[in-house]
Amino acid sequence: MFNTELFQSALETSWLGHSFRFFEEIQSTNNYLKQLPGGEISHGMVCLADYQSKGRGQYERNWDSQPGVNLTFTLCFIPGKAERLHVLTLTGAWALREVIGDTLAGRVTIKWPNDVNINEKKVAGLLTETIFNGNRLDRVLVGIGINVNQTRFEGELEQSATSLKKEKGETVGRERFLAAFLSRMEYGYQQWHKHSTDLIRGINRNIEGYGKWIHLVVDGEERADRYKFIGVNENGRLLVIDTEGEINTFSYEQIRLVTD
Ligand code: BTN
């Protein structure tokens, strides 16, 4: 079982994760923080479960994770404005990439729009959701699932997924890993909040396909032309140059990248 005391003694953040809720089993940590009354919510709160019976992924998919060996948790932020939230998701992916890069030697990349890969296999995914009170942003939930010590994956995941343990060849301590991630994420959040261009550079340097000729799937349809991927901008829009040399920008919802 996740050792909350060990995690708390390893935690070195100023605020992120100081309020911490652990469940052995819950439907979904995102759902839990979604329904929690405003009075019980705080900026920087983290909810973690050893097992989610209805873990959710992007595009209405399920997020199934072997009980007790991985990390499935949600961060709660109260940023005030519902702006640049896609950059916040990418900041989570960036922080995770950094801490995984410190842990093992493989090629760790951010995969647009919200995954982290090791040697081109998915190790983690992020699901950001917003809660509004009327038209006021109440909270932002960044849900994160990381394959830490799972070594067997079923069906098509056998080819496309990996874990820290598989890549490193040894078990990774979940408590210390989470504490290290939260330190990076706290720094990343502060950078995100002050519109840091270094943060955007850090994301772009590590995003798959950066500087390469790629294909785009726009609103579900793959375009025949190739585009040069020149990263994301301050607002989280994706930038590409077409074969005529024109810069095109796309929003997160519209686009998937196909790299060779
Ligand atoms: C994806 O890759 O599709 C995103 C996966 C996000 C999964 C996490 S696990 C913790 C949090 N609670 C959920 O129900 N989903 C997110």
Side-chain angles (χ1 to χ4, degrees):
M1 206 201 303
F2 187 84
N3 184 333
T4 304
E5 275 177 27
L6 177 59
F7 160 69
Q8 280 166 337
S9 66
L11 189 65
E12 290 180 347
T13 56
S14 300
W15 50 273
L16 186 57
H18 284 209
S19 168
F20 185 75
R21 296 210 178 171
F22 168 70
F23 295 91
E24 267 181 70
E25 180 176 341
I26 203 172
Q27 283 198 345
S28 151
T29 53
N30 269 38
N31 290 0
Y32 174 78
L33 286 176
K34 215 182 247 186
Q35 55 73 46
L36 210 58
E40 286 187 52
I41 281 285
S42 61
H43 179 63
M45 186 169 187
V46 175
C47 173
L48 179 136
D50 249 349
Y51 175 62
Q52 295 186 122
S53 54
K54 281 196 182 155
R56 293 185 294 108
Q58 286 287 327
Y59 319 115
E60 317 283 316
R61 294 192 194 122
N62 296 336
W63 182 264
D64 296 323
S65 177
Q66 196 181 316
V69 297
N70 293 322
L71 284 168
T72 48
F73 61 98
T74 301
L75 315 174
C76 175
F77 298 113
I78 308 181
K81 289 188 195 152
E83 287 174 0
R84 299 161 47 248
L85 294 180
H86 184 52
V87 183
L88 183 60
T89 309
L90 288 168
T91 302
W94 167 84
L96 204 45
R97 198 221 79 85
E98 295 294 296
V99 77
I100 294 173
D102 290 345
T103 312
L104 50 85
R107 196 178 114 73
V108 193
T109 50
I110 299 168
K111 172 125 194 270
W112 170 274
N114 47 18
D115 292 347
V116 179
N117 284 1
I118 306 176
N119 299 328
E120 273 139 49
K121 291 186 171 189
K122 178 162 172 167
V123 69
L126 291 91
L127 175 68
T128 297
E129 299 184 294
T130 45
I131 311 297
F132 282 84
N133 201 336
N135 55 10
R136 189 182 59 81
L137 178 66
D138 187 66
R139 64 194 84 152
V140 178
L141 305 174
V142 180
I144 304 180
I146 310 170
N147 300 327
V148 182
N149 292 316
Q150 181 166 342
T151 50
R152 296 181 65 150
F153 296 92
E154 303 287 318
E156 63 180 36
L157 291 182
E158 206 184 321
Q159 294 304 318
S160 62
T162 192
S163 68
L164 299 181
K165 181 171 181 176
K166 276 187 93 165
E167 299 299 325
K168 195 174 178 183
E170 58 188 66
T171 302
V172 171
R174 293 185 297 157
E175 295 79 4
R176 288 204 172 81
F177 183 87
L178 179 64
F181 165 71
L182 293 180
S183 289
R184 290 290 174 123
M185 187 62 201
E186 182 177 273
Y187 172 77
Y189 183 88
Q190 280 148 356
Q191 296 299 302
W192 171 77
H193 200 252
K194 65 179 197 194
H195 297 231
S196 157
T197 48
D198 278 353
L199 173 65
I200 302 298
R201 245 179 255 130
I203 292 169
N204 283 334
R205 259 201 297 271
N206 294 295
I207 202 162
E208 260 176 44
Y210 181 58
K212 295 195 178 139
W213 288 94
I214 54 159
H215 283 278
L216 293 179
V217 180
V218 183
D219 296 326
E221 280 189 28
E222 181 160 345
R223 293 200 173 172
D225 291 344
R226 294 204 310 155
Y227 298 84
K228 191 166 199 169
F229 178 33
I230 53 169
V232 296
N233 71 7
E234 234 289 295
N235 298 316
R237 287 177 72 84
L238 186 121
L239 305 175
V240 294
I241 302 181
D242 63 23
T243 44
E244 309 285 294
E246 294 287 325
I247 294 184
N248 296 226
T249 74
F250 295 95
S251 73
Y252 151 72
E253 295 81 13
Q254 281 176 295
I255 210 91
R256 303 283 160 267
L257 302 190
V258 184
T259 52
D260 296 329

